[in-house]
Amino acid sequence: MKLDIEFVRAQFPAFDAAPLKGQAFFENAGGSYTCRPVIDRLYRFYTERKVQPYAPYEASTLGGAEMDEARVRLAAILGVDTDELSFGPSTTQNTYVLAQAFAQWMKPGDAIIVTNQDHEANSGPWRRLAERGFEVREWQINPETGHLDPADLANLLDDKVRLVAFPHCSNVVGEINEVAAICAQVHAAGAVACVDGVSYAPHGLPDVGKLGADIYLFSAYKTYGPHQGIMAIRRDLGMQLPNQGHHFNGDSLYKRFTPAGPDHAQVAASAGIADHIDALYDHHIGGDAAPAVKGAAVHDLMQAHEHELLQPLLDYASAKNSVRLIGPDKATSRAPTVALALQANAEEAAAQLAPHGIMAGGGDFYAGRALEAMGVDMDRGVLRLSFVHYTSKAEVDRLIDALDQVL
Ligand SMILES: Cc1ncc(COP(=O)(O)O)c(C=O)c1O
């Protein structure tokens, strides 16, 4: 079964918007287009339900019910309990709040492990625990390949380590880390695993329960949704960590790490991500199935499509002498988030692609630690070409054509 790309694109109003016509979008890892159900739900909330939710009048009850619906449906797809899922303004902010909780929870002499493959969001907030007296160890990537080797993690783990923070997939290396095996390794050492899924989730929501991550973070605005961070946390960990919300909300797991009041409209609109997954499932497969089963089927459909489109781009980049492909050259090992180190400034290269109708970006993408470790010239940065399931083969062909003229 192949992804019906025309059906997929019809779910995204951006493809019909006049200002975007004729443009091929390759900066999806920065933020994806938004699917129609999310836009419709956001519009409905703002026009019909923009009142304080959970009060007894109808507009408010409906608004609250939609917010609940978002958590119920997304949690079910992710294989976690509803109250294990919470929203925050962004993944970075969610991580900062978590780091604060860990700082209060850990004991003198405790250690944490971070990587130099992560985006700063799942790195900097944890590294700052060093200022609070905790030991911070770095799990380092291979400088040639960008790979995080679990054998190196084994050398860092001991009974002092409370937390290991690592990415499901880096936003510049692109390689998909073996999350389930790493989580098992972390648990065997008596620590908890915090996984940054921001670069992975747009390519198919994972079953977080099966992965075994104690904390799993991703950003809805990169996953066809509104500008929110989404966090799943295992109940017994979340209830052990000190409450970061209002004291009277401490019994409610999903409120413990959201100190600010949530953005009601955006939380409600996030149910549209589940609508999108359901629509893809119904169109391609159909019938009744549990949300996690639908999520897994849609995940596989998306990945198969992305792999097919990605391999020619990787082959092109690998064959080009003036280009260094960051991360694996096999589509099946990675996400379609492809960073290229050039012999020129990457932002300028991105600007040269724009007249060809290619939207892409250059820079360090807040993953400077990984790029520096790999010896990338930080004044040049990398050109990043990232796509998702709604990208067509014609767009990738056009990208390769444009790269051929610009690089
Ligand atoms: C891998 C990764 N993690 C975390 C983040 C931060 O997400 P947010 O903007 O929601 O804080 C990003 C954003 O680019 C990212 O690519």
Side-chain angles (χ1 to χ4, degrees):
M1 163 93 49
K2 276 197 158 198
L3 195 71
D4 177 350
I5 188 70
E6 290 313 319
F7 177 80
V8 172
R9 287 165 82 89
Q11 316 299 310
F12 289 85
F15 290 114
D16 291 325
L20 293 169
K21 276 264 186 259
Q23 309 255 353
F25 184 36
F26 285 99
E27 224 309 65
N28 290 276
S32 69
Y33 284 162
T34 313
C35 63
R36 189 184 303 282
V38 167
I39 298 169
D40 290 349
R41 283 174 179 269
L42 202 55
Y43 182 79
R44 184 174 64 188
F45 199 97
Y46 273 117
T47 49
E48 298 176 23
R49 288 164 199 175
K50 184 65 187 67
V51 294
Q52 187 67 3
Y54 302 110
Y57 36 94
E58 193 183 29
S60 174
T61 312
L62 290 172
E66 274 203 299
M67 291 172 68
D68 292 346
E69 181 193 347
R71 284 192 312 105
V72 167
R73 290 179 63 198
L74 288 172
I77 295 171
L78 293 162
V80 301
D81 288 344
T82 302
D83 67 341
E84 292 179 315
L85 196 86
S86 58
F87 288 85
S90 68
T91 292
T92 307
Q93 193 135 330
N94 282 339
T95 319
Y96 264 96
V97 173
L98 280 171
Q100 184 68 19
F102 272 83
Q104 292 165 6
W105 179 64
M106 294 199 307
K107 303 275 177 299
D110 285 350
I112 64 163
I113 297 175
V114 295
T115 79
N116 62 352
Q117 196 191 54
D118 273 278
H119 180 283
E120 198 59 17
N122 194 36
S123 189
W126 300 119
R127 287 172 193 265
R128 287 191 185 168
L129 296 187
E131 295 158 17
R132 316 273 280 261
F134 299 106
E135 189 192 344
V136 178
R137 302 175 185 174
E138 191 179 65
W139 179 14
Q140 295 182 345
I141 54 176
N142 176 308
E144 296 296 317
T145 61
H147 177 66
L148 269 179
D149 187 345
D152 294 333
L153 174 62
N155 293 331
L156 296 172
L157 283 167
D158 62 25
D159 59 4
K160 288 180 165 181
V161 177
R162 294 284 155 267
L163 168 88
V164 180
F166 67 96
H168 196 156
C169 159
S170 143
N171 67 328
V172 290
V173 177
E175 180 169 12
I176 294 164
N177 293 317
E178 297 290 343
V179 173
I182 298 168
C183 287
Q185 191 181 2
V186 169
H187 292 157
V192 299
C194 174
V195 180
D196 177 349
V198 174
S199 281
Y200 186 90
H203 311 291
L205 292 186
D207 189 320
V208 173
K210 278 197 189 136
L211 286 178
D214 302 282
I215 301 166
Y216 193 91
L217 304 145
F218 68 100
S219 300
Y221 72 97
K222 298 180 197 267
T223 314
Y224 350 117
H227 206 116
Q228 286 289 292
I230 298 181
M231 173 171 96
I233 185 163
R234 198 168 41 74
R235 179 178 295 98
D236 45 329
L237 174 64
M239 293 311 286
Q240 259 183 75
L241 289 169
N243 172 29
Q244 304 298 306
H246 294 311
H247 70 90
F248 44 81
N249 283 333
D251 290 340
S252 189
L253 175 56
Y254 78 97
K255 294 184 178 168
R256 287 171 71 87
F257 305 101
T258 311
D263 184 319
H264 301 149
Q266 293 197 29
V267 171
S270 294
I273 300 172
D275 292 338
H276 180 57
I277 290 170
D278 281 358
L280 293 186
Y281 184 85
D282 291 345
H283 180 77
H284 293 88
I285 298 156
D288 227 17
V293 172
K294 290 186 181 181
V298 169
H299 168 285
D300 292 353
L301 273 172
M302 288 175 170
Q303 273 205 348
H305 172 77
E306 292 177 5
H307 286 163
E308 196 180 316
L309 266 58
L310 177 57
Q311 196 56 55
L313 177 62
L314 297 175
D315 292 344
Y316 170 81
S318 309
K320 192 127 187 128
N321 287 336
S322 58
V323 163
R324 177 182 175 198
L325 168 66
I326 304 294
D329 61 5
K330 294 277 167 292
T332 46
S333 314
R334 64 177 298 153
T337 301
V338 180
L340 305 178
L342 313 174
Q343 286 167 1
N345 181 281
E347 273 185 62
E348 285 167 21
Q352 286 165 24
L353 287 170
H356 295 267
I358 302 295
M359 295 190 274
D364 67 14
F365 303 97
Y366 290 13
R369 293 178 201 272
L371 296 178
E372 261 189 280
M374 292 185 73
V376 169
D377 178 341
M378 297 307 285
D379 290 331
R380 290 181 181 159
V382 288
L383 176 69
R384 191 175 68 176
L385 309 162
S386 56
F387 64 88
V388 294
H389 65 297
Y390 52 58
T391 305
S392 68
K393 180 174 179 315
E395 286 174 321
V396 175
D397 289 346
R398 184 164 165 203
L399 169 66
I400 293 174
D401 256 14
L403 288 172
D404 226 17
Q405 293 177 57
V406 164
L407 300 184

PDB file of all heavy atoms in Angstrom, residues 311 314-315 318 325-334:
ATOM      1  N   GLN A 311      15.961   8.534  -0.738  1.00  0.00           N
ATOM      2  CA  GLN A 311      17.199   7.874  -1.204  1.00  0.00           C
ATOM      3  C   GLN A 311      17.854   8.611  -2.379  1.00  0.00           C
ATOM      4  O   GLN A 311      19.073   8.833  -2.366  1.00  0.00           O
ATOM      5  CB  GLN A 311      16.929   6.397  -1.524  1.00  0.00           C
ATOM      6  CG  GLN A 311      18.210   5.565  -1.644  1.00  0.00           C
ATOM      7  CD  GLN A 311      19.089   5.644  -0.367  1.00  0.00           C
ATOM      8  OE1 GLN A 311      18.624   5.364   0.722  1.00  0.00           O
ATOM      9  NE2 GLN A 311      20.351   6.058  -0.527  1.00  0.00           N
ATOM     10  N   LEU A 314      19.799  11.530  -1.065  1.00  0.00           N
ATOM     11  CA  LEU A 314      21.028  11.098  -0.379  1.00  0.00           C
ATOM     12  C   LEU A 314      22.078  10.655  -1.399  1.00  0.00           C
ATOM     13  O   LEU A 314      23.266  10.970  -1.263  1.00  0.00           O
ATOM     14  CB  LEU A 314      20.720   9.952   0.592  1.00  0.00           C
ATOM     15  CG  LEU A 314      19.774  10.279   1.757  1.00  0.00           C
ATOM     16  CD1 LEU A 314      19.462   9.023   2.562  1.00  0.00           C
ATOM     17  CD2 LEU A 314      20.389  11.349   2.676  1.00  0.00           C
ATOM     18  N   ASP A 315      21.623   9.938  -2.421  1.00  0.00           N
ATOM     19  CA  ASP A 315      22.568   9.472  -3.456  1.00  0.00           C
ATOM     20  C   ASP A 315      23.192  10.665  -4.163  1.00  0.00           C
ATOM     21  O   ASP A 315      24.395  10.696  -4.434  1.00  0.00           O
ATOM     22  CB  ASP A 315      21.851   8.582  -4.483  1.00  0.00           C
ATOM     23  CG  ASP A 315      21.405   7.261  -3.859  1.00  0.00           C
ATOM     24  OD1 ASP A 315      21.895   6.921  -2.764  1.00  0.00           O
ATOM     25  OD2 ASP A 315      20.538   6.577  -4.453  1.00  0.00           O
ATOM     26  N   SER A 318      25.654  12.354  -1.736  1.00  0.00           N
ATOM     27  CA  SER A 318      26.860  11.531  -1.495  1.00  0.00           C
ATOM     28  C   SER A 318      27.802  11.581  -2.689  1.00  0.00           C
ATOM     29  O   SER A 318      29.026  11.489  -2.533  1.00  0.00           O
ATOM     30  CB  SER A 318      26.482  10.059  -1.257  1.00  0.00           C
ATOM     31  OG  SER A 318      25.503   9.957  -0.298  1.00  0.00           O
ATOM     32  N   LEU A 325      27.713  15.163   3.198  1.00  0.00           N
ATOM     33  CA  LEU A 325      26.409  14.762   3.746  1.00  0.00           C
ATOM     34  C   LEU A 325      26.604  14.444   5.219  1.00  0.00           C
ATOM     35  O   LEU A 325      27.455  13.632   5.584  1.00  0.00           O
ATOM     36  CB  LEU A 325      25.902  13.524   2.996  1.00  0.00           C
ATOM     37  CG  LEU A 325      24.709  12.791   3.594  1.00  0.00           C
ATOM     38  CD1 LEU A 325      23.443  13.656   3.544  1.00  0.00           C
ATOM     39  CD2 LEU A 325      24.462  11.468   2.858  1.00  0.00           C
ATOM     40  N   ILE A 326      25.802  15.089   6.072  1.00  0.00           N
ATOM     41  CA  ILE A 326      25.884  14.825   7.511  1.00  0.00           C
ATOM     42  C   ILE A 326      24.926  13.668   7.832  1.00  0.00           C
ATOM     43  O   ILE A 326      23.752  13.723   7.479  1.00  0.00           O
ATOM     44  CB  ILE A 326      25.471  16.090   8.317  1.00  0.00           C
ATOM     45  CG1 ILE A 326      26.324  17.307   7.921  1.00  0.00           C
ATOM     46  CG2 ILE A 326      25.520  15.836   9.824  1.00  0.00           C
ATOM     47  CD1 ILE A 326      27.787  17.235   8.266  1.00  0.00           C
ATOM     48  N   GLY A 327      25.471  12.658   8.490  1.00  0.00           N
ATOM     49  CA  GLY A 327      24.616  11.532   8.892  1.00  0.00           C
ATOM     50  C   GLY A 327      24.551  10.438   7.834  1.00  0.00           C
ATOM     51  O   GLY A 327      25.238  10.497   6.808  1.00  0.00           O
ATOM     52  N   PRO A 328      23.722   9.418   8.073  1.00  0.00           N
ATOM     53  CA  PRO A 328      23.703   8.222   7.219  1.00  0.00           C
ATOM     54  C   PRO A 328      23.310   8.498   5.764  1.00  0.00           C
ATOM     55  O   PRO A 328      22.545   9.417   5.495  1.00  0.00           O
ATOM     56  CB  PRO A 328      22.621   7.335   7.861  1.00  0.00           C
ATOM     57  CG  PRO A 328      22.409   7.865   9.224  1.00  0.00           C
ATOM     58  CD  PRO A 328      22.786   9.309   9.198  1.00  0.00           C
ATOM     59  N   ASP A 329      23.838   7.653   4.859  1.00  0.00           N
ATOM     60  CA  ASP A 329      23.462   7.801   3.452  1.00  0.00           C
ATOM     61  C   ASP A 329      22.382   6.800   3.039  1.00  0.00           C
ATOM     62  O   ASP A 329      22.062   6.672   1.872  1.00  0.00           O
ATOM     63  CB  ASP A 329      24.699   7.709   2.549  1.00  0.00           C
ATOM     64  CG  ASP A 329      25.411   6.364   2.679  1.00  0.00           C
ATOM     65  OD1 ASP A 329      24.891   5.471   3.396  1.00  0.00           O
ATOM     66  OD2 ASP A 329      26.489   6.198   2.072  1.00  0.00           O
ATOM     67  N   LYS A 330      21.843   6.057   4.002  1.00  0.00           N
ATOM     68  CA  LYS A 330      20.751   5.110   3.710  1.00  0.00           C
ATOM     69  C   LYS A 330      19.446   5.685   4.269  1.00  0.00           C
ATOM     70  O   LYS A 330      19.344   5.958   5.471  1.00  0.00           O
ATOM     71  CB  LYS A 330      21.001   3.754   4.376  1.00  0.00           C
ATOM     72  CG  LYS A 330      22.193   3.019   3.825  1.00  0.00           C
ATOM     73  CD  LYS A 330      21.833   2.257   2.549  1.00  0.00           C
ATOM     74  CE  LYS A 330      23.070   1.762   1.804  1.00  0.00           C
ATOM     75  NZ  LYS A 330      23.914   2.804   1.192  1.00  0.00           N
ATOM     76  N   ALA A 331      18.464   5.811   3.414  1.00  0.00           N
ATOM     77  CA  ALA A 331      17.198   6.430   3.809  1.00  0.00           C
ATOM     78  C   ALA A 331      16.548   5.702   4.983  1.00  0.00           C
ATOM     79  O   ALA A 331      15.918   6.323   5.835  1.00  0.00           O
ATOM     80  CB  ALA A 331      16.242   6.454   2.621  1.00  0.00           C
ATOM     81  N   THR A 332      16.713   4.375   5.017  1.00  0.00           N
ATOM     82  CA  THR A 332      16.014   3.601   6.048  1.00  0.00           C
ATOM     83  C   THR A 332      16.599   3.822   7.448  1.00  0.00           C
ATOM     84  O   THR A 332      15.986   3.436   8.431  1.00  0.00           O
ATOM     85  CB  THR A 332      16.078   2.094   5.719  1.00  0.00           C
ATOM     86  OG1 THR A 332      17.422   1.783   5.361  1.00  0.00           O
ATOM     87  CG2 THR A 332      15.140   1.756   4.565  1.00  0.00           C
ATOM     88  N   SER A 333      17.781   4.445   7.529  1.00  0.00           N
ATOM     89  CA  SER A 333      18.381   4.670   8.856  1.00  0.00           C
ATOM     90  C   SER A 333      18.084   6.054   9.387  1.00  0.00           C
ATOM     91  O   SER A 333      18.599   6.413  10.435  1.00  0.00           O
ATOM     92  CB  SER A 333      19.910   4.558   8.797  1.00  0.00           C
ATOM     93  OG  SER A 333      20.304   3.457   8.097  1.00  0.00           O
ATOM     94  N   ARG A 334      17.341   6.845   8.624  1.00  0.00           N
ATOM     95  CA  ARG A 334      17.276   8.243   9.039  1.00  0.00           C
ATOM     96  C   ARG A 334      15.942   8.882   8.693  1.00  0.00           C
ATOM     97  O   ARG A 334      15.143   8.334   7.944  1.00  0.00           O
ATOM     98  CB  ARG A 334      18.422   9.013   8.395  1.00  0.00           C
ATOM     99  CG  ARG A 334      18.338   9.063   6.872  1.00  0.00           C
ATOM    100  CD  ARG A 334      19.463   9.912   6.301  1.00  0.00           C
ATOM    101  NE  ARG A 334      19.360  11.273   6.767  1.00  0.00           N
ATOM    102  CZ  ARG A 334      20.387  12.118   6.900  1.00  0.00           C
ATOM    103  NH1 ARG A 334      21.605  11.749   6.582  1.00  0.00           N
ATOM    104  NH2 ARG A 334      20.200  13.351   7.330  1.00  0.00           N
TER     105      ARG A 334
END
